[in-house]
């Protein structure tokens, strides 16, 4: 192999490595925003417990709050008995309202109805409302 041929080979190898590095860097630069867009959002995981003051949840009433970035509600159907549910309708995602006189949830979008425990009573919702665990402490409820 001549000296010129060896130099050309080294030059090709160097350019190949250089172009490969530039290509990998550009690929990462353009792929990262796409990955971030498609990746699931951080919802808090096991460490995202929400505290609700017991005094805010009246017997027979409902208290709406934010749980992991979504509307949720806690009820006290009987004294000392608490239920926490998502407030997002399982039909198309509207936020349900508590109808105190009827003791049930009503979805204002298409008339879906849910019991105080989240069971479907009528309308188009295909599934019950998701329930959350509630831990009762001295002055607070810990939801999650
Ligand atoms: S979104 Fe609730 S009934 Fe349609």
């Amino acid at each position: 192999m001549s000296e010129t041929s060896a130099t050309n080979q080294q030059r090709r190898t160097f350019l190949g490595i250089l172009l490969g590095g530039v290509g990998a860097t550009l690929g990462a630069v353009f792929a990262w925003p796409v990955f971030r867009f498609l990746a699931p959002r951080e919802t808090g995981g096991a460490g995202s417990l929400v505290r609700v003051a017991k005094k805010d949840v009246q017997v027979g009433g409902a208290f709406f709050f934010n749980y992991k970035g979504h509307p949720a509600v806690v009820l006290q159907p009987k004294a000392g008995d608490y239920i926490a549910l998502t407030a997002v309708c399982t039909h198309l995602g509207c936020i349900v309202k508590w109808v105190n006189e009827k003791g049930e949830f009503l979805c204002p979008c298409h008339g879906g109805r849910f019991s105080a425990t989240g069971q479907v009573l009528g309308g188009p919702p295909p599934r019950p409302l998701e329930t959350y665990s509630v831990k009762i402490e001295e002055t607070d409820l810990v939801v999650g």
Side-chain angles (χ1 to χ4, degrees):
M1 182 182 298
S2 72
E3 190 172 311
T4 307
S5 176
T7 303
N8 283 343
Q9 183 62 34
Q10 288 173 336
R11 195 175 294 150
R12 278 191 209 104
T13 303
F14 172 75
L15 286 174
I17 291 171
L18 182 68
L19 289 176
V22 169
T25 303
L26 287 176
V29 165
F30 288 109
W32 180 249
V34 173
F35 171 76
R36 291 297 301 157
F37 177 76
L38 296 175
R41 293 185 187 271
E42 178 60 48
T43 55
S48 60
L49 302 174
V50 174
R51 299 183 93 75
V52 174
K54 284 165 66 174
K55 65 176 176 48
D56 291 338
V57 187
Q58 304 300 315
V59 176
F63 179 79
F64 286 79
F65 62 102
N66 200 332
Y67 180 71
K68 294 184 178 180
H70 299 285
V73 60
V74 63
L75 304 168
Q76 187 179 186
K78 295 183 296 186
D81 186 17
Y82 297 94
I83 301 169
L85 308 153
T86 179
V88 180
C89 180
T90 57
H91 180 224
L92 294 177
C94 291
I95 309 306
V96 299
K97 308 288 181 211
W98 176 248
V99 182
N100 212 24
E101 306 78 48
K102 293 185 175 183
E104 65 183 43
F105 292 100
L106 173 67
C107 180
C109 292
H110 310 104
R113 294 172 41 237
F114 299 91
S115 71
T117 59
Q119 298 304 307
V120 177
L121 298 175
R127 295 180 312 281
L129 297 174
E130 183 183 356
T131 58
Y132 304 129
S133 68
V134 180
K135 183 177 166 204
I136 303 170
E137 294 187 346
E138 192 172 321
T139 60
D140 290 343
L141 305 170
V142 181
V143 178

